[in-house]
Short mmCIF file of all heavy atoms in Angstrom, two decimals:
data_model
loop_
_atom_site.label_atom_id
_atom_site.label_comp_id
_atom_site.label_asym_id
_atom_site.label_seq_id
_atom_site.Cartn_x
_atom_site.Cartn_y
_atom_site.Cartn_z
N GLU J 18 8.16 13.31 -1.89
CA GLU J 18 7.07 13.13 -2.85
C GLU J 18 7.56 12.63 -4.21
O GLU J 18 6.77 12.21 -5.05
CB GLU J 18 6.26 14.41 -3.01
CG GLU J 18 7.06 15.57 -3.55
CD GLU J 18 6.30 16.87 -3.49
OE1 GLU J 18 5.56 17.09 -2.52
OE2 GLU J 18 6.46 17.66 -4.43
N ALA J 19 8.86 12.67 -4.46
CA ALA J 19 9.41 12.17 -5.72
C ALA J 19 9.74 10.67 -5.65
O ALA J 19 10.15 10.09 -6.64
CB ALA J 19 10.67 12.94 -6.08
N ASP J 20 9.54 10.06 -4.50
CA ASP J 20 9.93 8.68 -4.27
C ASP J 20 8.70 7.76 -4.27
O ASP J 20 7.57 8.23 -4.23
CB ASP J 20 10.68 8.58 -2.95
CG ASP J 20 11.92 9.45 -2.93
OD1 ASP J 20 12.61 9.53 -3.97
OD2 ASP J 20 12.19 10.08 -1.90
N TRP J 21 8.95 6.46 -4.28
CA TRP J 21 7.89 5.46 -4.38
C TRP J 21 8.01 4.39 -3.29
O TRP J 21 9.11 4.02 -2.91
CB TRP J 21 7.96 4.74 -5.72
CG TRP J 21 7.58 5.59 -6.88
CD1 TRP J 21 8.43 6.33 -7.66
CD2 TRP J 21 6.27 5.82 -7.39
NE1 TRP J 21 7.72 6.98 -8.63
CE2 TRP J 21 6.39 6.69 -8.49
CE3 TRP J 21 5.00 5.36 -7.02
CZ2 TRP J 21 5.29 7.11 -9.23
CZ3 TRP J 21 3.91 5.78 -7.76
CH2 TRP J 21 4.06 6.65 -8.85
N VAL J 22 6.85 3.89 -2.86
CA VAL J 22 6.76 2.75 -1.95
C VAL J 22 6.03 1.64 -2.70
O VAL J 22 4.93 1.85 -3.21
CB VAL J 22 5.99 3.11 -0.66
CG1 VAL J 22 5.87 1.90 0.25
CG2 VAL J 22 6.65 4.28 0.05
N LEU J 23 6.66 0.47 -2.78
CA LEU J 23 6.06 -0.69 -3.42
C LEU J 23 5.66 -1.65 -2.30
O LEU J 23 6.53 -2.23 -1.64
CB LEU J 23 7.06 -1.34 -4.39
CG LEU J 23 7.67 -0.38 -5.42
CD1 LEU J 23 8.66 -1.11 -6.31
CD2 LEU J 23 6.59 0.30 -6.25
N MET J 24 4.36 -1.79 -2.07
CA MET J 24 3.84 -2.43 -0.85
C MET J 24 3.05 -3.69 -1.16
O MET J 24 2.06 -3.65 -1.90
CB MET J 24 2.92 -1.42 -0.15
CG MET J 24 2.30 -1.89 1.14
SD MET J 24 3.32 -1.63 2.59
CE MET J 24 3.31 0.16 2.74
N ASP J 25 3.48 -4.80 -0.58
CA ASP J 25 2.70 -6.04 -0.62
C ASP J 25 1.49 -5.87 0.29
O ASP J 25 1.46 -5.00 1.15
CB ASP J 25 3.59 -7.19 -0.14
CG ASP J 25 2.93 -8.56 -0.26
OD1 ASP J 25 2.00 -8.72 -1.07
OD2 ASP J 25 3.36 -9.48 0.45
N ILE J 26 0.48 -6.71 0.13
CA ILE J 26 -0.69 -6.65 1.01
C ILE J 26 -0.57 -7.64 2.16
O ILE J 26 -0.69 -7.27 3.32
CB ILE J 26 -2.00 -6.91 0.24
CG1 ILE J 26 -2.34 -5.71 -0.64
CG2 ILE J 26 -3.15 -7.18 1.21
CD1 ILE J 26 -3.63 -5.86 -1.42
N GLU J 27 -0.33 -8.89 1.83
CA GLU J 27 -0.37 -9.95 2.85
C GLU J 27 0.98 -10.11 3.53
O GLU J 27 1.92 -10.67 2.96
CB GLU J 27 -0.80 -11.26 2.19
CG GLU J 27 -1.20 -12.31 3.19
CD GLU J 27 -1.81 -13.51 2.49
OE1 GLU J 27 -2.85 -13.35 1.84
OE2 GLU J 27 -1.22 -14.59 2.61
N MET J 28 1.08 -9.58 4.76
CA MET J 28 2.31 -9.68 5.55
C MET J 28 1.91 -10.00 6.99
O MET J 28 0.81 -9.67 7.42
CB MET J 28 3.11 -8.39 5.46
CG MET J 28 3.64 -8.11 4.05
SD MET J 28 4.58 -6.59 3.91
CE MET J 28 3.28 -5.36 3.93
N ALA J 29 2.82 -10.57 7.74
CA ALA J 29 2.51 -11.14 9.05
C ALA J 29 2.05 -10.12 10.10
O ALA J 29 0.96 -10.23 10.63
CB ALA J 29 3.71 -11.92 9.58
N THR J 30 2.87 -9.16 10.44
CA THR J 30 2.56 -8.29 11.57
C THR J 30 1.57 -7.19 11.22
O THR J 30 0.52 -7.08 11.85
CB THR J 30 3.86 -7.66 12.14
OG1 THR J 30 4.79 -8.71 12.39
CG2 THR J 30 3.60 -6.91 13.41
N VAL J 31 1.91 -6.38 10.24
CA VAL J 31 1.01 -5.32 9.77
C VAL J 31 0.84 -5.50 8.27
O VAL J 31 1.82 -5.49 7.52
CB VAL J 31 1.58 -3.92 10.08
CG1 VAL J 31 0.69 -2.83 9.49
CG2 VAL J 31 1.73 -3.71 11.59
N ASP J 32 -0.41 -5.68 7.83
CA ASP J 32 -0.66 -5.91 6.41
C ASP J 32 -0.43 -4.62 5.61
O ASP J 32 -0.36 -3.53 6.16
CB ASP J 32 -2.07 -6.44 6.19
CG ASP J 32 -3.13 -5.40 6.51
OD1 ASP J 32 -3.45 -4.60 5.62
OD2 ASP J 32 -3.60 -5.38 7.66
N GLY J 33 -0.31 -4.77 4.32
CA GLY J 33 0.01 -3.65 3.45
C GLY J 33 -1.06 -2.57 3.38
O GLY J 33 -0.74 -1.39 3.21
N LEU J 34 -2.33 -2.94 3.49
CA LEU J 34 -3.38 -1.93 3.45
C LEU J 34 -3.32 -1.05 4.70
O LEU J 34 -3.42 0.18 4.61
CB LEU J 34 -4.76 -2.58 3.30
CG LEU J 34 -5.00 -3.33 2.00
CD1 LEU J 34 -6.39 -3.96 1.99
CD2 LEU J 34 -4.80 -2.43 0.79
N THR J 35 -3.14 -1.68 5.86
CA THR J 35 -3.01 -0.92 7.10
C THR J 35 -1.76 -0.04 7.06
O THR J 35 -1.81 1.14 7.42
CB THR J 35 -2.94 -1.87 8.31
OG1 THR J 35 -4.14 -2.65 8.33
CG2 THR J 35 -2.79 -1.11 9.61
N ALA J 36 -0.65 -0.60 6.60
CA ALA J 36 0.59 0.17 6.51
C ALA J 36 0.46 1.34 5.54
O ALA J 36 0.96 2.44 5.80
CB ALA J 36 1.75 -0.74 6.08
N THR J 37 -0.25 1.13 4.43
CA THR J 37 -0.47 2.21 3.47
C THR J 37 -1.28 3.32 4.11
O THR J 37 -0.95 4.51 3.99
CB THR J 37 -1.19 1.67 2.21
OG1 THR J 37 -0.34 0.71 1.58
CG2 THR J 37 -1.52 2.78 1.24
N ARG J 38 -2.35 2.96 4.81
CA ARG J 38 -3.18 3.95 5.48
C ARG J 38 -2.37 4.75 6.51
O ARG J 38 -2.44 5.98 6.56
CB ARG J 38 -4.39 3.28 6.15
CG ARG J 38 -5.37 4.28 6.75
CD ARG J 38 -6.57 3.62 7.41
NE ARG J 38 -6.15 2.89 8.61
CZ ARG J 38 -6.21 1.57 8.77
NH1 ARG J 38 -6.67 0.80 7.81
NH2 ARG J 38 -5.81 1.01 9.89
N GLN J 39 -1.56 4.07 7.30
CA GLN J 39 -0.74 4.73 8.32
C GLN J 39 0.31 5.65 7.68
O GLN J 39 0.53 6.77 8.13
CB GLN J 39 -0.04 3.69 9.20
CG GLN J 39 -0.98 2.91 10.07
CD GLN J 39 -0.31 1.74 10.77
OE1 GLN J 39 0.80 1.32 10.42
NE2 GLN J 39 -0.99 1.17 11.76
N LEU J 40 0.94 5.15 6.63
CA LEU J 40 1.97 5.93 5.95
C LEU J 40 1.38 7.19 5.33
O LEU J 40 1.92 8.29 5.47
CB LEU J 40 2.65 5.07 4.88
CG LEU J 40 3.77 5.72 4.08
CD1 LEU J 40 4.92 6.14 4.99
CD2 LEU J 40 4.27 4.75 3.02
N ARG J 41 0.24 7.06 4.66
CA ARG J 41 -0.39 8.22 4.02
C ARG J 41 -0.95 9.20 5.04
O ARG J 41 -0.98 10.40 4.79
CB ARG J 41 -1.48 7.74 3.07
CG ARG J 41 -0.96 6.92 1.90
CD ARG J 41 -0.60 7.74 0.72
NE ARG J 41 -1.81 8.42 0.31
CZ ARG J 41 -1.84 9.55 -0.36
NH1 ARG J 41 -0.74 10.13 -0.72
NH2 ARG J 41 -2.97 10.12 -0.66
N ALA J 42 -1.37 8.71 6.20
CA ALA J 42 -1.85 9.61 7.26
C ALA J 42 -0.70 10.47 7.78
O ALA J 42 -0.86 11.67 8.03
CB ALA J 42 -2.49 8.82 8.40
N ALA J 43 0.46 9.87 7.93
CA ALA J 43 1.63 10.60 8.43
C ALA J 43 2.32 11.41 7.34
O ALA J 43 2.90 12.46 7.61
CB ALA J 43 2.62 9.61 9.05
N HIS J 44 2.25 10.92 6.10
CA HIS J 44 2.94 11.56 4.97
C HIS J 44 2.01 11.55 3.76
O HIS J 44 2.10 10.66 2.91
CB HIS J 44 4.24 10.81 4.64
CG HIS J 44 5.19 10.78 5.77
ND1 HIS J 44 6.02 11.83 6.07
CD2 HIS J 44 5.43 9.82 6.71
CE1 HIS J 44 6.74 11.53 7.14
NE2 HIS J 44 6.40 10.33 7.55
N PRO J 45 1.11 12.52 3.66
CA PRO J 45 0.13 12.54 2.56
C PRO J 45 0.76 12.54 1.17
O PRO J 45 0.13 12.14 0.20
CB PRO J 45 -0.66 13.82 2.80
CG PRO J 45 -0.43 14.17 4.23
CD PRO J 45 0.92 13.61 4.59
N GLU J 46 2.01 12.97 1.08
CA GLU J 46 2.69 13.02 -0.22
C GLU J 46 3.22 11.66 -0.67
O GLU J 46 3.65 11.49 -1.81
CB GLU J 46 3.85 14.01 -0.17
CG GLU J 46 5.09 13.52 0.55
CD GLU J 46 5.03 13.49 2.09
OE1 GLU J 46 4.01 13.92 2.68
OE2 GLU J 46 6.01 13.02 2.70
N ALA J 47 3.20 10.66 0.22
CA ALA J 47 3.76 9.34 -0.09
C ALA J 47 3.02 8.72 -1.28
O ALA J 47 1.80 8.72 -1.35
CB ALA J 47 3.66 8.43 1.12
N ARG J 48 3.81 8.19 -2.21
CA ARG J 48 3.24 7.51 -3.38
C ARG J 48 3.43 6.01 -3.19
O ARG J 48 4.55 5.51 -3.26
CB ARG J 48 3.92 7.99 -4.66
CG ARG J 48 3.67 9.48 -4.91
CD ARG J 48 4.12 9.91 -6.28
NE ARG J 48 5.56 9.75 -6.47
CZ ARG J 48 6.17 9.95 -7.64
NH1 ARG J 48 5.48 10.30 -8.71
NH2 ARG J 48 7.47 9.80 -7.74
N VAL J 49 2.31 5.33 -2.95
CA VAL J 49 2.33 3.89 -2.65
C VAL J 49 1.67 3.13 -3.80
O VAL J 49 0.56 3.45 -4.21
CB VAL J 49 1.58 3.58 -1.34
CG1 VAL J 49 1.59 2.08 -1.06
CG2 VAL J 49 2.16 4.38 -0.18
N VAL J 50 2.39 2.13 -4.29
CA VAL J 50 1.85 1.21 -5.28
C VAL J 50 1.71 -0.15 -4.58
O VAL J 50 2.69 -0.67 -4.04
CB VAL J 50 2.76 1.07 -6.51
CG1 VAL J 50 2.22 0.01 -7.47
CG2 VAL J 50 2.93 2.40 -7.22
N ILE J 51 0.50 -0.66 -4.58
CA ILE J 51 0.27 -1.99 -4.01
C ILE J 51 0.73 -3.03 -5.04
O ILE J 51 0.35 -2.96 -6.21
CB ILE J 51 -1.22 -2.20 -3.67
CG1 ILE J 51 -1.67 -1.21 -2.58
CG2 ILE J 51 -1.50 -3.64 -3.27
CD1 ILE J 51 -1.01 -1.40 -1.23
N VAL J 52 1.57 -3.96 -4.59
CA VAL J 52 2.08 -5.05 -5.43
C VAL J 52 1.65 -6.34 -4.76
O VAL J 52 2.15 -6.68 -3.69
CB VAL J 52 3.61 -4.97 -5.57
CG1 VAL J 52 4.12 -6.07 -6.48
CG2 VAL J 52 4.05 -3.59 -6.05
N THR J 53 0.71 -7.05 -5.37
CA THR J 53 0.08 -8.17 -4.68
C THR J 53 -0.26 -9.33 -5.61
O THR J 53 -0.35 -9.16 -6.82
CB THR J 53 -1.21 -7.69 -3.97
OG1 THR J 53 -1.79 -8.77 -3.26
CG2 THR J 53 -2.21 -7.12 -4.95
N GLN J 54 -0.46 -10.49 -5.00
CA GLN J 54 -0.90 -11.67 -5.76
C GLN J 54 -2.38 -11.61 -6.05
O GLN J 54 -2.89 -12.38 -6.86
CB GLN J 54 -0.56 -12.94 -5.00
CG GLN J 54 -1.32 -13.10 -3.71
CD GLN J 54 -0.89 -14.33 -2.94
OE1 GLN J 54 -0.03 -15.08 -3.37
NE2 GLN J 54 -1.49 -14.54 -1.79
N TYR J 55 -3.12 -10.72 -5.40
CA TYR J 55 -4.56 -10.61 -5.59
C TYR J 55 -4.86 -9.60 -6.69
O TYR J 55 -4.30 -8.51 -6.71
CB TYR J 55 -5.25 -10.18 -4.29
CG TYR J 55 -4.93 -11.08 -3.14
CD1 TYR J 55 -4.04 -10.69 -2.15
CD2 TYR J 55 -5.49 -12.35 -3.06
CE1 TYR J 55 -3.72 -11.54 -1.11
CE2 TYR J 55 -5.19 -13.20 -2.02
CZ TYR J 55 -4.30 -12.79 -1.04
OH TYR J 55 -3.99 -13.63 -0.02
N SER J 56 -5.78 -9.95 -7.58
CA SER J 56 -6.08 -9.03 -8.67
C SER J 56 -7.57 -8.72 -8.79
O SER J 56 -7.98 -8.06 -9.74
CB SER J 56 -5.55 -9.58 -9.99
OG SER J 56 -6.13 -10.84 -10.26
N ASP J 57 -8.37 -9.18 -7.83
CA ASP J 57 -9.81 -8.93 -7.95
C ASP J 57 -10.15 -7.47 -7.64
O ASP J 57 -9.40 -6.75 -6.98
CB ASP J 57 -10.61 -9.89 -7.05
CG ASP J 57 -10.24 -9.76 -5.59
OD1 ASP J 57 -10.86 -8.93 -4.90
OD2 ASP J 57 -9.33 -10.48 -5.15
N GLU J 58 -11.28 -7.05 -8.13
CA GLU J 58 -11.71 -5.65 -8.03
C GLU J 58 -11.90 -5.20 -6.59
O GLU J 58 -11.62 -4.05 -6.24
CB GLU J 58 -13.00 -5.44 -8.83
CG GLU J 58 -13.33 -3.99 -9.07
CD GLU J 58 -12.23 -3.22 -9.79
OE1 GLU J 58 -11.58 -3.77 -10.69
OE2 GLU J 58 -11.99 -2.04 -9.41
N GLU J 59 -12.34 -6.09 -5.72
CA GLU J 59 -12.56 -5.74 -4.31
C GLU J 59 -11.24 -5.34 -3.63
O GLU J 59 -11.17 -4.35 -2.90
CB GLU J 59 -13.20 -6.92 -3.58
CG GLU J 59 -13.56 -6.63 -2.13
CD GLU J 59 -14.25 -7.82 -1.49
OE1 GLU J 59 -15.13 -8.43 -2.13
OE2 GLU J 59 -13.90 -8.12 -0.33
N VAL J 60 -10.19 -6.08 -3.90
CA VAL J 60 -8.88 -5.78 -3.32
C VAL J 60 -8.33 -4.48 -3.92
O VAL J 60 -7.78 -3.63 -3.21
CB VAL J 60 -7.89 -6.95 -3.54
CG1 VAL J 60 -6.50 -6.58 -3.08
CG2 VAL J 60 -8.38 -8.19 -2.80
N ARG J 61 -8.49 -4.31 -5.21
CA ARG J 61 -8.04 -3.08 -5.88
C ARG J 61 -8.74 -1.86 -5.29
O ARG J 61 -8.11 -0.86 -4.96
CB ARG J 61 -8.32 -3.18 -7.38
CG ARG J 61 -7.87 -2.00 -8.20
CD ARG J 61 -8.25 -2.19 -9.67
NE ARG J 61 -7.64 -3.37 -10.25
CZ ARG J 61 -6.49 -3.37 -10.90
NH1 ARG J 61 -5.82 -2.26 -11.06
NH2 ARG J 61 -6.01 -4.49 -11.39
#
C-alpha cells in the first residue's frame, strides 16, 4: 500500500482501465495513477 502504479490507458492487449480494475479487485490497497494522453472529463 506504500507503493504506486503509473498506468497508461491505451495499450494493445489489456488496456489500462481494465488492468486497473483487475489490479484493484485483487489488491484493494493498490494505488494507481492513470497517466494518459487523454485529458477529457469522460476519461478522467
